Amino acid sequence: ETLFMSCVGELVLESREFDLLLGQLMPDGTRTPGLVDKFGDLVDTGKIIEFVAADSEDRGLLEDAVQLYDLAKKHAKVVSLLNKLLSQVISAPPVAESNRDRLQRQAVNIARRYKSTSAAAGKETTATLFLLLDLATFFDLYHAGRNTEALNTVEKVKIIPLKQSDID
């Protein structure tokens, strides 16, 4: 780590201007250049993004770390952190603009993008992410009092046997 990386990292974390300074992800998974890219070959923006992402994770700013690792194309790390974050809030009632709502929307957007761009994030962690999203659907339906649909979701996911034939 250089002094420059450290200073840029602090600037990014303090200002929270990720898109402006480091660039932003487009729907196709490409990154638009940020202000740091203006330094050209003098800096490795990818390494700076990874440094800031790891620093965010170390500080416990996991939602920021998800966004930054995503920008750095560290898909396995993104999915792993999303799994950790989602598992903590998944059973909470769906409330607009809550932590759960924000994380669920972010996870769905990332899952769609990764699926459409065939981004590799590890089979098990990706399967866990999709299971957590299915569980989010279950809890959404449960909290809305739509119990039959909630049970159908559980049956589709096959996490709880609902019939004798599921056990055998």
Side-chain angles (χ1 to χ4, degrees):
E1 141 193 5
T2 65
L3 180 59
F4 180 77
M5 283 176 71
S6 185
C7 290
V8 169
E10 267 313 303
L11 175 65
V12 170
L13 290 177
E14 289 299 318
S15 70
R16 302 192 41 75
E17 292 287 346
F18 306 130
D19 296 346
L20 176 67
L21 295 170
L22 301 174
Q24 101 182 62
L25 275 179
M26 302 309 292
D28 65 356
T30 59
R31 184 180 69 83
T32 60
L35 291 177
V36 172
D37 291 291
K38 302 261 188 230
F39 287 99
D41 292 338
L42 297 173
V43 298
D44 183 345
T45 306
K47 283 190 180 201
I48 291 174
I49 295 169
E50 282 184 59
F51 170 77
V52 176
D55 195 28
S56 294
E57 184 180 5
D58 291 344
R59 294 180 186 202
L61 304 170
L62 299 185
E63 286 184 59
D64 291 346
V66 166
Q67 184 178 351
L68 291 162
Y69 279 124
D70 196 23
L71 197 59
K73 296 188 183 331
K74 298 296 179 191
H75 306 300
K77 194 68 172 170
V78 169
V79 173
S80 176
L81 286 173
L82 273 176
N83 289 347
K84 183 185 286 189
L85 288 166
L86 276 173
S87 66
Q88 295 171 10
V89 298
I90 207 71
S91 62
V95 177
E97 299 308 314
S98 66
N99 194 28
R100 179 193 188 270
D101 179 56
R102 193 176 56 256
L103 284 170
Q104 186 176 352
R105 277 187 282 117
Q106 182 181 28
V108 166
N109 290 335
I110 288 172
R112 281 188 184 133
R113 185 165 28 84
Y114 284 10
K115 191 172 185 176
S116 71
T117 61
S118 301
K123 190 175 183 176
E124 285 184 25
T125 53
T126 302
T128 300
L129 177 62
F130 283 102
L131 176 60
L132 286 168
L133 291 173
D134 286 336
L135 286 172
T137 301
F138 164 77
F139 282 110
D140 288 348
L141 294 167
Y142 168 76
H143 289 296
R146 296 162 56 190
N147 296 332
T148 303
E149 293 171 71
L151 283 174
N152 289 341
T153 301
V154 167
E155 186 174 28
K156 181 187 94 177
V157 176
K158 298 181 180 181
I159 56 172
I160 299 173
L162 297 177
K163 297 180 272 188
Q164 183 64 36
S165 62
D166 292 340
I167 297 172
D168 298 331

